[in-house]
Amino acid sequence: KKKKKKKKKKKKKKKKEEKKKEIKLKFNKTMAQHFRDEFFQIPIVTRVLTSSCILTTLAVQLNIVSPLLLIYHPHLVIKGEVWRLFTSFLFFGYIGISFFFNIIFLYRFCRKLEESSFAGKTADFLVMLLFGSSITLIIATFFVNLLFLGDALTTMIVYVWSRRNPYVRYTFFGLFNFQAPYLPWILVLLSILFNGSLVGDLVGIAVGHIYYFLMDVFPNKPGGFQILKTPHFMKLLFDGPQNDPNYAPLPEDRPGGFDWGDGRPLGQQ
């Protein structure tokens, strides 16, 4: 009898352990599925840009890549190290308070722009980022010595969003409220506190203002026109075929098919 009782207890323990394992597996699967769903709900440009910044920082943190290989240096780019044109925008420094602030601001306002001003306009959003990156590279080449350009790009994104949402009230960690146009200058103050440098953020504000003026101010002035236009091939590639307002569908493609006329009631000639 004692042996039978022991066997029963062992079986119960095994069943409990198996149930616990099943519950853990189900929980892990649901969490992984939830994370996957949330990740792919992020707009494509924000998702790729933020992920690239995080992966680049992790690679440097784990000593897989040296930060010296990521910096922007015009002479090295001319010698063939073209990747520096891109990697210099992806590294915000080693993991710390400054890194987390930059990633949070980049993700938040990049997503806000992509889901509001650029909703359904992925190609236009990419053109904005390419324009901002190009102007930043020109400034870093000829006017200012900047090795990492991620701060400038983040501040540019924040600046464009703040100018397009001037009446939005923003709360800074519950400490004080201010209107959106002051947000880029808050970033400048944070950079002084954490990095002791404000050059990158000032460059970002300047580049953001250039884009804002070209896209939102100048075209609305008398005689103004849109200078910065998205190439057609980019719209086809990222946004799909656009509906032509002048397109007249064939009769068989119209709702209801061919126009057969009004007809006559039955029994009438």
Side-chain angles (χ1 to χ4, degrees), residues 14-204:
K14 281 184 180 180
K15 284 182 180 179
K16 284 182 179 179
E17 286 176 359
E18 286 175 0
K19 282 184 179 180
K20 283 181 180 179
K21 285 181 181 179
E22 285 179 7
I23 291 167
K24 281 183 179 179
L25 285 171
K26 285 180 181 178
F27 178 76
N28 290 334
K29 282 181 181 178
T30 52
M31 286 297 292
Q33 185 65 36
H34 178 71
F35 177 78
R36 185 177 177 278
D37 293 341
E38 286 294 323
F39 180 74
F40 283 102
Q41 281 180 3
I42 300 170
I44 180 66
V45 178
T46 304
R47 185 166 73 237
V48 171
L49 182 58
T50 308
S51 300
S52 300
C53 292
I54 292 171
L55 290 173
T56 303
T57 302
L58 285 174
V60 173
Q61 192 76 27
L62 297 172
N63 293 321
I64 297 170
V65 177
S66 169
L68 295 176
L69 292 173
L70 307 176
I71 62 173
Y72 175 66
H73 198 293
H75 297 296
L76 295 176
V77 172
I78 292 168
K79 288 180 179 179
E81 297 182 11
V82 185
W83 67 82
R84 295 177 185 273
L85 295 172
F86 307 97
T87 57
S88 55
F89 288 96
L90 303 178
F91 184 61
F92 291 108
Y94 289 96
I95 293 175
I97 296 175
S98 178
F99 167 76
F100 285 113
F101 267 111
N102 277 299
I103 285 294
I104 288 168
F105 274 96
L106 175 66
Y107 166 75
R108 229 175 145 182
F109 292 97
C110 194
R111 182 168 185 170
K112 282 184 176 186
L113 266 183
E114 195 170 359
E115 290 180 337
S116 56
S117 299
F118 295 96
K121 301 175 183 177
T122 303
D124 291 345
F125 191 46
L126 281 172
V127 166
M128 186 200 87
L129 293 177
L130 289 171
F131 173 81
S133 302
S134 302
I135 300 298
T136 303
L137 286 167
I138 291 169
I139 293 172
T141 302
F142 297 104
F143 303 103
V144 176
N145 183 26
L146 278 177
L147 301 179
F148 294 108
L149 311 176
D151 290 346
L153 185 63
T154 300
T155 308
M156 178 221 170
I157 291 168
V158 173
Y159 184 89
V160 173
W161 177 85
S162 68
R163 293 308 297 262
R164 289 188 171 180
N165 299 272
Y167 302 110
V168 173
R169 300 288 300 178
Y170 198 83
T171 302
F172 186 73
F173 294 103
L175 298 175
F176 53 91
N177 296 323
F178 54 89
Q179 285 185 308
Y182 293 103
L183 187 57
W185 300 104
I186 299 295
L187 280 182
V188 173
L189 290 175
L190 288 174
S191 292
I192 294 170
L193 287 173
F194 295 124
N195 301 326
S197 174
L198 49 80
V199 177
D201 294 287
L202 292 178
V203 170

